[in-house]
Amino acid sequence: MSQNAEKVLDHFNLFREPEYQEMFKNKKEQFENSVPPDKLVQVREWTKTWDYREKNFAREALTVNPAKACQPLGAVFAAVGFESTLPFVHGSQGCVAYYRSHLSRHFKEPTSCVSSSMTEDAAVFGGLNNMVDGLANAYTMYKPKMIAVSTTCMAEVIGDDLNAFIKTSKEKGSIPEEYDVPFAHTPAFVGSHITGYDNALKGVLAHFWDGKAGTVPALVREPNEKINFIGGFDGYTVGNTREVKRILDLMNLEYTILADTSDVFDTPSDGKFRMYDGGTTLEDTAAALNAKATFSMQEYCTEKTLPFIAEHGQEVVALNCPIGVSGTDKFIMELSRVSGKAIPDELKKERGRLVDAIADSTAHIHGKKFAIYGDPDQCLGLAAFLMELGGEPTHVLATNGSKHWAEKVQALFDSSPFGKDCHVYAGKDLWHMRSLLFTEPVDFLFGNTYGKYLERDTGTPLIRYGFPIFDRHHHHRYPIWGYQGGLNMLVRILDKIFDEIDNNSNVPSQSDYSFDIIR
Amino acid sequence: MSITAEETREQIVAETKTRNRALIDEVLKVYPEKTAKRRAKHLGAYEEGKSDCGVKSNIKSVPGVMTIRGCAYAGSKGVVWGPIKDMIHISHGPVGCGQYSWGSRRNYYIGTTGVDTFVTMQFTSDFQEKDIVFGGDKKLEKIMDEIEDLFPLNHGITVQSECPIGLIGDDIEAVSKKKSKEFGGKTIVPVRCEGFRGVSQSLGHHIANDSIRDYVFEKQGAEPKVFEKTPYDVAIIGDYNIGGDAWSSRILLEEMGLRVIAQWSGDGSLAELENTPMAKLNVLHCYRSMNYISRYMEEKHGVPWVEYNFFGPSKIAESLRTIASYFDDHIKEGAERVIEKYNRLTEEVIAKYRPRLEGRTVMLFVGGLRPRHVIGAYEDLGMNVVGTGYEFGHNDDYQRTTHYVKDGTLIYDDVTGYEFEKMVESIQPDLVGSGIKEKYVFQKMGVPFRQMHSWDYSGPYHGYDGFAIFARDMDMAINNPVWSLTKTPWE
């Protein structure tokens, strides 16, 4: 017996003790019908080969370890960015349990969202009653200012009509006639979580701007000098949005952050649970129609929203998750161009500090090869930053990336000698990435928490980036946008590089001559 | 106990009951009338001597109230089938379900992931619009071909249906049968666990159990396994090896002289499932999720089953003796030897932690067996569970709960976000034990919390080794200095 009260052993160490090791061995040998060791080694080694890679890339039907989630997750994320708004997902209830868990595991925050809890009878007769009762309950219990409705694939397959259902609910008195219930159909079998974000955001804007589903006259645009800002589906929303606000304030701009999730995913622990916190006010959301322009930090999260806004008479600017010097330069110069405001000296200084930091450290990044996977914009932004640092984004992969996206990434590669031997993979998954890392190894991998399986299998050190990050805490509180965000990213990359250098030069009398005290 | 003490106790119980009744009335006020009526049936206080907890259960959740429940897919793929390590479980339908349940349940296992084991991987048919319109059977066939090609060491495949499958009329049974034949009789299990079936995870457990019956036990043309039986063979049923729970349980059974021939389903394999009907006794931890298959094996194969509880030394000792009672003196002596062996550890753990936890109160809301099973472990540490409820329990769970809870304990079935928040706010327990969706709500309120599904990334909690970890974790949750910081000092 190894357990003791003095120093309690938990799963990290308990099962390495001899009594457990012996037990595992016996279980395997006697009961598991396990694969013979030589066969296991043979197949394991085969999975690392070009032959396996070709078979793997020939897959047409099977998806293994995708880097994407489904539409309603993005819809819920967008919805909680509005003041006192409760997301209501029409369909099976298990989905909502999943979205809430998924978001809470990343942000370490509560996620409030309700379901219309449709079951077999609703599958046969439709979910109208569930909507009628559900809206009444959610409205009465949780007193939201707005309920934003989206759908699970169940409701989509049976063809429930949200617009009609919400109307009927109002007629039946579930919620007041004038109460705001924007909606978006978000089928899980189309696109990914970024599509859902796009649909939900467009749904909210269409609701306020275009006459609340035909119940009031559409708003007439009265142009002003304000700028709208959309962050997109962003795991760094807390840090990023606050950094963007700081920049916009520095530039003396008047602005509206649309779907501002920075407070609801960062509530204090002070004895009170805030179901709602911060968020774009409904007044500001309606008034956003009048803005001079709308900036989207993630083009592929707003493929429908931006054209919708443009149709309403605004200039729209689409960026691709700008990270680093050039990306931020473009963001700020576009802000200046659109608003006619000068860029303040403070930002110039911040820029110079980031360039200074890069100049201090670039020798450790220059010529290193990187693999990146994640959402399309996040891949683009990071790849551009790495090339700016002299790194090579050798493999860039987005499971939810389109052909259009792939062309854009290729154009980025073509713009610099550091992109010469780099390749883009749209619609591929992390099992494809595994083959890439075995056959064409790189120095470091960027990706979310699931990347740790690739790190384990291929030995490629993982720099955590994107969403979800479950196994490291608080990254979402630090921006990756703006010059400050660029600095954060730079430090994160360098820390991993230096840790690796140290780990590879620390064997006494063998490699520790390089165990330098100054790097 | 003196008469005065007895009277005091009765008075406290009476006051608790009055408070709980008032609290339930208060909480119900928020609902529209129809909903209040429905929810009232799920809330109550246990009355000593009654055969159940006086609440209705296993009924549809009310729309819009923020139920904590999941779905049948979660019950089948997430709970029952997912941990079977040498089979590939296809999340059949759109990408989300498989993504959200990928690796999050902490079903520990030993194996080379992606080569001979596949638990922490996400295999999905990633349905697109055309699959919905034209059906996904052809795609499923191709997926199985690709699995055979790229993962040749897999021992079987399951098809875990997501909502659309049952709605678009796909015939996954036909595909599975055809492919099984084509692959030389490989075990391929179609599971009809679409998320809209039933009212919670619970029906998913049942459906998954039935699919084991139909496609593992009664597989057509299956060769009888060559298996040398011993008189001491048992199978662990209903332990998902969260944080290694099944391992810290198995070791005790082996130490008392039993031979564990299978684990269901944490760190389990297809061979273990197949061999289970040859056990002398099935020992059942999570009654809710695996009583069905246990009953089947009893009826069909004559394997008796017995429930046990490996949380906390009191229940462990009781359970070891109960299990031993099915065997001869050799095993009965073995049980006593094991209890004796761990006695010192138990005493030391209690001596260290009980003084720090004595008299502290706990409110629970979990799934499966835990709303009752962990109560003994808390009591071993001097703590009192003052409220408990099941996410997806049935009446037989609430009947079993009467053996654990004290008179007057607050009971809440399928609790809503609002109810749970208000009840905790009013009762102010020293600890809440529930899931990830609840964790941060209560921590914001300044109430210490432990996740009782995932062990908050710790564990194991089963067995004597696990009890030490359980005690340490409850202490660190409650007695961490952070809770003294939540109040702003200048206000």
Side-chain angles (χ1 to χ4, degrees):
Chain A
M1 179 174 45
S2 314
Q3 188 60 289
N4 66 96
E6 192 52 43
K7 191 176 184 315
V8 173
L9 303 178
D10 59 21
H11 59 91
F12 291 108
N13 292 310
L14 180 66
F15 300 129
R16 298 177 194 188
E17 295 295 332
E19 66 267 32
Y20 281 101
Q21 287 297 313
E22 170 87 16
M23 188 179 89
F24 295 156
K25 187 169 158 275
N26 290 338
K27 177 177 185 292
K28 184 176 173 166
E29 284 172 4
Q30 294 176 38
F31 305 110
E32 291 184 359
N33 182 28
S34 60
V35 175
D38 53 335
K39 183 84 190 156
L40 175 74
V41 170
Q42 187 199 336
V43 173
R44 190 189 67 203
E45 293 309 308
W46 171 60
T47 67
K48 302 175 182 176
T49 63
W50 275 94
D51 177 54
Y52 188 87
R53 171 177 164 161
E54 275 155 27
K55 275 195 157 63
N56 191 11
F57 271 76
R59 263 190 283 145
E60 288 174 359
L62 173 67
T63 298
V64 185
N65 298 353
K68 66 171 181 180
C70 67
Q71 278 212 49
L73 180 81
V76 169
F77 179 87
V80 296
F82 291 90
E83 180 195 15
S84 298
T85 295
L86 185 64
F88 180 112
V89 188
H90 183 53
S92 301
Q93 70 191 14
C95 313
V96 168
Y98 279 143
Y99 315 141
R100 295 179 67 206
S101 302
H102 208 64
L103 291 166
S104 288
R105 285 177 179 135
H106 174 84
F107 289 109
K108 317 293 179 204
E109 290 286 325
T111 311
S112 297
C113 175
V114 298
S115 162
S116 64
S117 296
M118 284 164 66
T119 54
E120 278 123 323
D121 52 345
V124 178
F125 302 110
L128 176 61
N129 290 336
N130 299 67
M131 174 78 82
V132 171
D133 290 348
L135 285 177
N137 287 325
Y139 174 77
T140 320
M141 293 171 70
Y142 297 112
K143 303 179 175 48
K145 280 198 175 162
M146 175 163 93
I147 296 176
V149 178
S150 56
T151 47
T152 77
C153 53
M154 177 201 183
E156 288 300 321
V157 171
I158 64 173
D160 278 4
D161 180 346
L162 291 182
N163 191 15
F165 282 16
I166 293 165
K167 270 202 179 113
T168 310
S169 301
K170 288 185 170 181
E171 283 161 18
K172 293 192 172 220
S174 293
I175 39 172
E177 279 288 343
E178 68 287 357
Y179 187 74
D180 291 312
V181 188
F183 62 89
H185 288 275
T186 50
F189 44 82
V190 176
S192 71
H193 56 289
I194 60 174
T195 323
Y197 176 94
D198 193 14
N199 282 331
L201 181 55
K202 178 169 169 270
V204 171
L205 297 181
H207 171 80
F208 284 103
W209 296 1
D210 288 352
K212 304 191 173 185
T215 58
V216 296
L219 296 180
V220 177
R221 182 172 132 88
E222 294 169 11
N224 59 30
E225 291 299 307
K226 278 184 148 184
I227 304 285
N228 296 325
F229 177 90
I230 300 169
F233 190 100
D234 177 20
Y236 300 97
T237 183
V238 171
N240 272 346
T241 311
R242 288 179 187 160
E243 179 61 15
V244 164
K245 285 179 187 171
R246 193 183 66 86
I247 291 170
L248 297 174
D249 286 337
L250 274 174
M251 290 192 65
N252 217 5
L253 290 171
E254 285 200 65
Y255 58 86
T256 303
I257 309 278
L258 292 171
D260 180 356
T261 43
S262 60
D263 285 346
V264 76
F265 284 127
D266 191 23
T267 62
S269 270
D270 57 0
K272 185 181 161 196
F273 161 54
R274 293 162 178 79
M275 189 164 178
Y276 315 108
D277 201 18
T280 316
T281 66
L282 308 191
E283 295 73 27
D284 285 351
T285 307
L289 171 65
N290 305 321
K292 188 173 191 182
T294 295
F295 276 65
S296 166
M297 291 295 256
Q298 299 198 70
E299 179 185 7
Y300 296 99
C301 291
T302 47
E303 284 181 296
K304 287 181 190 149
T305 302
L306 277 195
F308 170 83
I309 293 173
E311 281 162 22
H312 284 72
Q314 289 183 32
E315 180 175 358
V316 292
V317 179
L319 301 167
N320 299 105
C321 189
I323 299 173
V325 181
S326 310
T328 310
D329 288 350
K330 186 178 174 195
F331 172 45
I332 285 170
M333 286 160 72
E334 283 292 274
L335 280 174
S336 174
R337 178 186 66 76
V338 168
S339 65
K341 301 248 183 181
I343 299 169
D345 281 349
E346 275 118 307
L347 283 174
K348 191 179 160 192
K349 247 186 165 171
E350 283 183 22
R351 181 185 189 280
R353 289 178 189 132
L354 176 58
V355 174
D356 181 66
I358 292 170
D360 294 345
S361 314
T362 190
H364 296 282
I365 303 174
H366 193 108
K368 293 252 182 332
K369 288 178 188 295
F370 299 88
I372 306 171
Y373 75 85
D375 283 345
D377 293 290
Q378 290 167 3
C379 286
L380 269 164
L382 180 60
F385 184 42
L386 288 174
M387 286 162 70
E388 180 172 282
L389 299 170
E392 296 173 22
T394 306
H395 311 301
V396 177
L397 180 151
T399 309
N400 50 358
S402 59
K403 209 176 146 212
H404 179 265
W405 168 79
E407 285 164 9
K408 203 156 188 171
V409 177
Q410 189 56 52
L412 176 70
F413 292 157
D414 295 343
S415 71
S416 154
F418 293 97
K420 193 166 85 52
D421 297 319
C422 301
H423 294 280
V424 58
Y425 301 93
K428 299 297 176 191
D429 56 42
L430 301 189
W431 200 252
H432 293 116
M433 181 61 102
R434 188 177 185 270
S435 280
L436 292 175
L437 294 176
F438 275 128
T439 50
E440 295 178 86
V442 296
D443 297 300
F444 294 92
L445 166 69
F446 284 94
N448 60 18
T449 281
Y450 299 112
K452 76 193 292 178
Y453 296 137
L454 293 169
E455 181 179 38
R456 174 197 60 197
D457 289 1
T458 69
T460 318
L462 172 69
I463 302 171
R464 281 172 179 73
Y465 173 70
F467 175 93
I469 293 176
F470 294 150
D471 65 337
R472 294 292 183 273
H473 293 194
H474 309 309
H475 286 199
H476 65 278
R477 298 175 196 269
Y478 296 89
I480 63 167
W481 292 341
Y483 299 117
Q484 296 294 340
L487 196 60
N488 288 339
M489 279 304 293
L490 179 70
V491 172
R492 211 170 281 163
I493 295 166
L494 287 169
D495 277 352
K496 181 62 92 175
I497 290 178
F498 289 132
D499 281 349
E500 279 302 304
I501 292 175
D502 284 345
N503 289 339
N504 290 325
S505 60
N506 61 2
V507 181
S509 89
Q510 279 187 33
S511 63
D512 67 343
Y513 43 81
S514 298
F515 200 60
D516 277 309
I517 209 72
I518 309 162
R519 297 206 193 273
Chain B
M1 196 183 274
S2 71
I3 298 216
T4 336
E6 179 64 22
E7 278 172 359
T8 318
R9 197 190 72 89
E10 276 175 18
Q11 197 188 340
I12 291 171
V13 170
E15 279 169 13
T16 306
K17 285 180 182 171
T18 312
R19 179 203 64 185
N20 285 348
R21 265 193 298 273
L23 180 55
I24 290 168
D25 290 343
E26 184 59 33
V27 161
L28 288 171
K29 278 185 194 156
V30 78
Y31 294 110
E33 200 187 327
K34 188 169 98 178
T35 306
K37 255 188 203 159
R38 284 175 69 176
R39 283 303 306 158
K41 295 174 187 158
H42 298 265
L43 307 174
Y46 172 60
E47 289 286 340
E48 204 163 61
K50 293 274 171 68
S51 65
D52 62 24
C53 296
V55 295
K56 293 275 184 205
S57 56
N58 196 30
I59 295 173
K60 269 197 273 189
S61 301
V62 185
V65 298
M66 213 177 312
T67 173
I68 291 165
R69 282 174 170 175
C71 64
Y73 164 89
S76 176
K77 188 267 183 179
V79 174
V80 174
W81 272 114
I84 296 295
K85 62 182 178 180
D86 56 349
M87 296 175 79
I88 285 176
H89 311 290
I90 304 166
S91 292
H92 191 39
V95 70
C97 317
Q99 202 71 4
Y100 308 125
S101 57
W102 179 9
S104 52
R105 232 176 98 80
R106 304 190 66 232
N107 310 108
Y108 280 11
Y109 63 96
I110 308 272
T112 307
T113 306
V115 184
D116 68 347
T117 43
F118 311 95
V119 181
T120 47
M121 294 177 71
Q122 144 57 336
F123 292 85
T124 175
S125 45
D126 188 15
F127 260 35
Q128 300 300 303
E129 197 146 26
K130 64 176 190 303
D131 302 314
I132 300 287
V133 175
F134 300 110
D137 286 343
K138 285 258 160 5
K139 187 174 197 177
L140 183 60
E141 282 191 32
K142 197 163 214 176
I143 282 171
M144 290 181 184
D145 290 340
E146 290 175 359
I147 283 175
E148 284 306 283
D149 225 17
L150 289 167
F151 305 95
L153 300 183
N154 83 78
H155 285 160
I157 296 171
T158 73
V159 182
Q160 304 289 328
S161 300
E162 300 171 8
C163 286
I165 304 307
L167 299 171
I168 62 175
D170 273 12
D171 193 349
I172 59 169
E173 289 79 9
V175 174
S176 301
K177 195 174 169 188
K178 179 181 164 193
K179 282 291 159 187
S180 173
K181 203 172 162 197
E182 210 178 298
F183 299 156
K186 174 172 271 249
T187 301
I188 301 184
V189 186
V191 192
R192 286 288 180 179
C193 55
E194 287 90 344
F196 61 81
R197 295 193 197 276
V199 303
S200 67
Q201 292 92 314
S202 183
L203 188 64
H205 305 142
H206 198 153
I207 292 167
N209 277 221
D210 287 354
S211 68
I212 297 175
R213 177 195 64 200
D214 296 343
Y215 293 91
V216 177
F217 290 166
E218 298 186 354
K219 196 171 94 176
Q220 286 191 333
E223 295 286 317
K225 283 268 175 272
V226 182
F227 187 85
E228 244 177 80
K229 296 192 211 179
T230 79
Y232 301 128
D233 291 353
V234 297
I236 293 177
I237 311 285
D239 189 326
Y240 302 102
N241 206 31
I242 288 163
D245 279 339
W247 293 333
S248 55
S249 302
R250 181 186 186 108
I251 202 161
L252 300 181
L253 297 173
E254 290 187 350
E255 281 175 356
M256 71 192 269
L258 296 169
R259 191 173 81 141
V260 179
I261 63 164
Q263 281 178 214
W264 290 51
S265 54
D267 193 37
S269 56
L270 178 62
E272 289 169 71
L273 296 186
E274 289 170 341
N275 288 336
T276 304
M278 284 180 272
K280 284 280 171 215
L281 178 71
N282 281 329
V283 298
L284 177 59
H285 208 239
C286 182
Y287 169 85
R288 179 72 278 128
S289 59
M290 286 197 172
N291 76 84
Y292 318 100
I293 198 71
S294 306
R295 290 175 199 280
Y296 173 78
M297 282 188 267
E298 183 176 42
E299 282 162 27
K300 175 92 180 187
H301 304 281
V303 186
W305 54 279
V306 60
E307 290 176 65
Y308 70 107
N309 178 349
F310 270 6
F311 288 103
S314 303
K315 289 293 167 189
I316 297 172
E318 195 183 309
S319 296
L320 288 173
R321 289 181 176 125
T322 308
I323 292 169
S325 72
Y326 285 77
F327 296 94
D328 60 15
D329 286 350
H330 168 64
I331 299 298
K332 286 182 183 124
E333 284 156 20
E336 295 308 321
R337 196 173 58 240
V338 171
I339 294 165
E340 177 59 30
K341 177 184 169 184
Y342 288 94
N343 195 30
R344 204 174 126 198
L345 170 68
T346 298
E347 280 176 358
E348 284 171 359
V349 167
I350 290 174
K352 182 174 176 183
Y353 292 108
R354 185 163 179 144
R356 303 164 65 86
L357 297 168
E358 185 81 51
R360 301 300 188 106
T361 55
V362 187
M363 286 175 76
L364 298 169
F365 186 75
V366 217
L369 68 159
R370 291 166 181 176
R372 60 175 179 275
H373 263 45
V374 297
I375 291 175
Y378 282 113
E379 288 176 352
D380 286 334
L381 294 167
M383 301 170 74
N384 296 316
V385 174
V386 297
T388 192
Y390 292 79
E391 227 180 89
F392 46 81
H394 298 205
N395 199 47
D396 49 8
D397 290 301
Y398 285 100
Q399 286 167 352
R400 285 165 166 76
T401 307
T402 61
H403 304 303
Y404 289 89
V405 291
K406 295 196 176 84
D407 196 16
T409 303
L410 187 63
I411 307 287
Y412 28 86
D413 177 71
D414 183 21
V415 80
T416 69
Y418 178 88
E419 289 165 5
F420 204 16
E421 184 196 333
K422 293 298 158 195
M423 286 171 171
V424 169
E425 203 173 77
S426 166
I427 291 173
Q428 288 290 319
D430 297 299
L431 180 73
V432 174
S434 192
I436 184 69
K437 305 191 288 299
E438 294 71 59
K439 179 181 173 79
Y440 303 106
V441 170
F442 296 117
Q443 289 188 177
K444 303 279 176 192
M445 289 163 63
V447 181
F449 188 96
R450 284 299 293 189
Q451 288 185 68
M452 295 302 281
H453 300 262
S454 67
W455 304 149
D456 238 314
Y457 323 121
S458 175
Y461 283 176
H462 291 176
Y464 290 109
D465 286 346
F467 177 65
I469 305 164
F470 174 83
R472 179 200 68 179
D473 288 357
M474 297 311 136
D475 173 46
M476 76 161 88
I478 291 177
N479 294 312
N480 189 279
V482 71
W483 306 117
S484 63
L485 302 175
T486 51
K487 281 264 173 291
T488 317
W490 60 87
E491 272 178 355

